[in-house]
Amino acid sequence: MTYRAPVRDMAFSLHEVAGLRDLAGQGAFADLTPDVIEAVLEEGARLAGDILAPLNETADREGARLEDGKVITAKGMAAAYRTWVDGGWGSLSATPDFGGQGLPVALSVAMQEMWNSACMAFGICPILSQGAIEALTAHGTPELQAKYLPKLISGEWTGTMNLTESQAGSDLAALKSRAVPQGDGTYRITGTKIFITYGEHDMVENIIHLVLARLPDAPAGTKGISLFLVPKFLVNDDGSLGERNDVMCIGLEEKLGIHASPTCVMSYGEQGGAVGYLIGQENRGLACMFTMMNNARLLVGAQGVSVAERAYQLALAYAQERRQGRPLNSDLAPGEMAPIIEHPDVRRMLLTMKGLTEAARGICYATAVAIDRTHQGASVEDREASQARADLLTPIAKAWSTDIGVEVASLGVQVHGGMGFIEEAGAAQYFRDARILPIYEGTNGIQAIDLVTRKLPLGNGAVMRDYIAEMSKTASACEASNDAALTEIGRELTAALACLTDATEWMLARLPDEPDDCLAGATPYLKLFGTVAGGYCLAKGALAAVSALSGNDGNSFLSGKKALAHFYALNLLPSVHGLTTPVKSGAAPLFAHDPAA
């Protein structure tokens, strides 16, 4: 069973849940209509289904290999990447100043969902390039932008993020890579980086590394980190490639999943130092890095949606075909078995998979539309409010969506039963691939810390309170409806929002004087927040669906949106009532147990 992008679901989420329809036809998007957006989605769906999806299983089995310092990707990967480049897919949301199409970030996120559903080992490569483009656009000199952005945006070259070192995982203060100024505007970079996705490969002629390193006189800690652009091949003033830079892949990691994505150990300066160019200011690399990371975190959240969607499609197809057992009160003939989708528990698992997937999709798309509004808002106040909303939702988009990616992939294995544990069925690969998502681009624990210590205090809590108020309006609209299902959705969402409000005010009150208590409850708080936000997204969709139905229940797609939101409200949203206690339990229980015991 191959992947087919759920174009109708994606368009519905973009327009009715995330609000992209309100931006289309305005400002820089004046020529963008819902029809154009759906045409782009349809074209991307063909590429994802016909070119990328067939690679997923075969490339996973073959993997990537290192030969004489060169990484050879799995058969078909390089050709697929060339097709992707020729289609102009890398340039969707990039600035037109350097060859981009200037389309909404939200549409680009939807396309990334497709690439990663089709083949996540392929889709991670454009995500890293996008981070490099964002950092260079925001912080690079005009000379660096002119030389490197056009081919990064077109996809002819790819980008990487070189942060991690063996002694410094998430703790960037411990970085040791060095950058020595040469007096001519360049720097010599030395050091070793690990876990570098697509640090070396054969799909493009040049790879542009963004590397964190320290100057000789840099202050200790994160205040002494600078960001450098280090190309695999130096680039001449006319844009042609020059000599090979002093950077090499010296090892490939053997991983649990995404086998076709080369995860490299990169060595800089084995022959005197790799030539690098400063991005931003000396010792201010952390700000540049966060430009990369914030973009990448949203796209990794979309990867969570991607793997969940692929796992759901496979599980649904299996449940419709696999016959086993007989439901109670069945009218089947003696000896005849029913498709397992007829069993209530299997149906519960499938609806859980679909509900979580669509909820996470709504959160990710809404985050992307908020980013688009930071550029397209009617006033400075609108743009600032949109930036604050994007900042608030980014850790939820990354962490909650990737957690549900793992959960949904695990349920996919369960739906398959014993066959799910066998590689041949395919469900196991999605579980293996999904497991990296809560770890890279900032672990989900770090996302929770970021949420409670940096994002909740925005505007002294006003940004979060405004979002809760917005969600409450939707809950009230549902409760006031004459539709019985909408009324129940509104009732459950209102009760869940009471839990979120209680937990939020507890966090805000204790953060100044009892930060450890807040850190102890950060992860359950993020889960509570994400679960409620997901229910809000589905409730918005249900309201839109009921409005469009106008009493005609013959539209199964729209009726399905209401039914799914109703299932989520009754079966998944109530879980938040059990999260308020761990959110508010404080740090003492975590440290009461002596590890020596």
Side-chain angles (χ1 to χ4, degrees):
M1 184 261 174
T2 190
Y3 163 75
R4 290 296 171 190
V7 170
R8 198 173 180 188
D9 285 331
M10 297 170 81
F12 182 88
S13 188
L14 282 170
H15 294 312
E16 307 300 342
V17 176
L20 181 59
R21 187 192 302 279
D22 298 335
L23 286 180
Q26 301 180 25
F29 306 141
D31 297 329
L32 192 66
T33 66
D35 288 345
V36 170
I37 291 170
E38 291 193 34
V40 173
L41 292 172
E42 290 284 2
E43 189 63 28
R46 280 190 283 273
L47 173 64
D50 298 343
I51 303 298
L52 302 182
L55 288 174
N56 191 58
E57 183 181 348
T58 59
D60 180 71
R61 287 200 304 266
E62 182 180 346
R65 64 186 189 277
L66 180 63
E67 296 181 357
D68 298 324
K70 298 179 180 180
V71 170
I72 312 300
T73 55
K75 183 179 179 181
M77 292 283 282
Y81 186 81
R82 174 49 54 189
T83 301
W84 183 86
V85 170
D86 291 344
W89 295 107
S91 63
L92 283 182
S93 62
T95 171
D97 295 341
F98 296 99
Q101 300 179 50
L103 292 171
V105 170
L107 183 56
S108 178
V109 169
M111 304 315 300
Q112 290 285 1
E113 180 193 325
M114 287 189 191
W115 317 141
N116 284 276
S117 278
C119 181
M120 198 166 83
F122 176 96
I124 185 61
C125 183
I127 286 177
L128 274 298
S129 294
Q130 189 62 41
I133 290 167
E134 291 285 336
L136 196 52
T137 300
H139 304 287
T141 63
E143 294 76 16
L144 286 179
Q145 290 175 347
K147 183 174 283 190
Y148 292 96
L149 275 178
K151 290 194 174 182
L152 278 171
I153 288 172
S154 71
E156 294 175 78
W157 297 346
T158 61
T160 72
M161 296 166 60
N162 282 238
L163 282 61
T164 308
E165 299 176 9
S166 58
Q167 80 289 346
S170 299
D171 183 7
L172 297 178
L175 293 178
K176 294 182 179 179
S177 293
R178 287 173 55 84
V180 179
Q182 299 300 295
D184 60 355
T186 67
Y187 297 75
R188 293 287 175 167
I189 313 297
T190 56
T192 302
K193 299 287 186 177
I194 63 172
F195 302 159
I196 309 305
T197 303
Y198 278 93
E200 163 64 21
H201 61 92
D202 59 355
M203 302 195 306
V204 294
E205 62 180 4
N206 204 9
I207 303 171
I208 311 306
H209 304 289
L210 269 58
V211 184
L212 289 181
R214 294 183 181 281
L215 297 170
D217 59 350
T222 56
K223 294 181 179 180
I225 297 173
S226 301
L227 182 66
F228 300 90
L229 184 153
V230 184
K232 175 181 175 180
F233 286 96
L234 300 177
V235 180
N236 299 318
D237 291 338
D238 63 359
S240 63
L241 297 186
E243 64 184 29
R244 175 70 185 260
N245 208 353
D246 188 10
V247 52
M248 294 288 295
C249 173
I250 59 174
L252 286 183
E253 305 291 355
E254 294 187 14
K255 309 187 297 290
L256 174 67
I258 52 172
H259 294 150
S261 167
T263 301
C264 304
V265 179
M266 303 297 296
S267 177
Y268 292 84
E270 290 194 359
Q271 298 177 7
V275 177
Y277 307 89
L278 182 69
I279 296 178
Q281 301 176 11
E282 291 185 347
N283 302 324
R284 297 295 300 276
L286 206 59
C288 303
M289 182 208 71
F290 275 116
T291 299
M292 291 190 291
M293 292 289 282
N294 283 335
N295 176 279
R297 284 170 175 172
L298 171 56
L299 294 179
V300 169
Q303 283 189 299
V305 179
S306 300
V307 72
E309 174 65 37
R310 187 77 188 262
Y312 168 71
Q313 289 191 17
L314 185 68
L316 176 63
Y318 183 82
Q320 291 170 327
E321 296 170 0
R322 171 66 166 163
R323 290 179 173 270
Q324 189 169 0
R326 295 161 57 87
L328 295 177
N329 302 318
S330 172
D331 58 359
L332 293 172
E336 187 178 355
M337 293 186 291
I340 62 172
I341 196 171
E342 298 300 326
H343 297 295
D345 190 60
V346 173
R347 189 163 289 227
R348 177 191 57 79
M349 288 191 286
L350 290 169
L351 283 170
T352 299
M353 295 172 77
K354 186 170 180 60
L356 290 173
T357 301
E358 292 208 7
R361 179 180 288 127
I363 291 171
C364 288
Y365 288 7
T367 306
V369 168
I371 293 172
D372 284 318
R373 290 185 185 278
T374 66
H375 306 295
Q376 300 298 324
S379 66
V380 172
E381 291 77 12
D382 289 342
R383 294 191 289 273
E384 289 178 347
S386 297
Q387 184 62 65
R389 174 64 61 82
D391 290 342
L392 176 68
L393 291 182
T394 293
I396 303 298
K398 194 280 178 184
W400 194 78
S401 300
T402 57
D403 279 342
I404 73 98
V406 175
E407 182 178 349
V408 171
S410 179
L411 282 170
V413 173
Q414 190 73 19
V415 169
H416 282 76
M419 282 304 299
F421 205 67
I422 307 300
E423 288 286 351
E424 177 186 352
Q429 182 188 344
Y430 306 135
F431 191 34
R432 288 189 285 103
D433 286 352
R435 196 58 192 86
I436 185 58
L437 301 178
I439 298 173
Y440 64 19
E441 302 307 335
T443 67
N444 286 0
I446 289 174
Q447 304 305 311
I449 293 170
D450 176 53
L451 176 64
V452 301
T453 62
R454 294 176 178 166
K455 304 307 170 57
L456 283 189
L458 288 172
N460 293 318
V463 175
M464 181 61 185
R465 293 185 183 108
D466 287 347
Y467 187 53
I468 290 175
E470 179 183 302
M471 292 190 283
S472 295
K473 288 181 180 179
T474 293
S476 296
C478 289
E479 285 190 273
S481 171
N482 293 324
D483 185 284
L486 277 184
T487 301
E488 285 197 300
I489 291 168
R491 182 195 68 206
E492 294 296 336
L493 183 55
T494 296
L497 282 165
C499 292
L500 180 59
T501 299
D502 178 40
T504 298
E505 296 303 331
W506 187 92
M507 283 281 180
L508 289 170
R510 282 158 182 76
L511 191 58
D513 301 319
E514 298 170 323
D516 280 351
D517 284 347
C518 295
L519 294 179
T523 290
Y525 178 80
L526 188 148
K527 185 175 183 180
L528 192 164
F529 188 164
T531 304
V532 175
Y536 162 60
C537 289
L538 293 184
K540 282 186 73 176
L543 274 173
V546 169
S547 175
L549 282 167
S550 300
N552 176 17
D553 291 333
N555 188 316
S556 61
F557 176 80
L558 293 174
S559 297
K561 293 301 177 187
K562 182 180 75 171
L564 186 64
H566 193 210
F567 170 85
Y568 187 102
L570 296 180
N571 291 271
L572 303 180
L573 198 51
S575 67
V576 302
H577 299 284
L579 290 171
T580 53
T581 296
V583 167
K584 298 163 63 175
S585 63
L590 300 181
F591 294 92
H593 183 76
D594 184 352

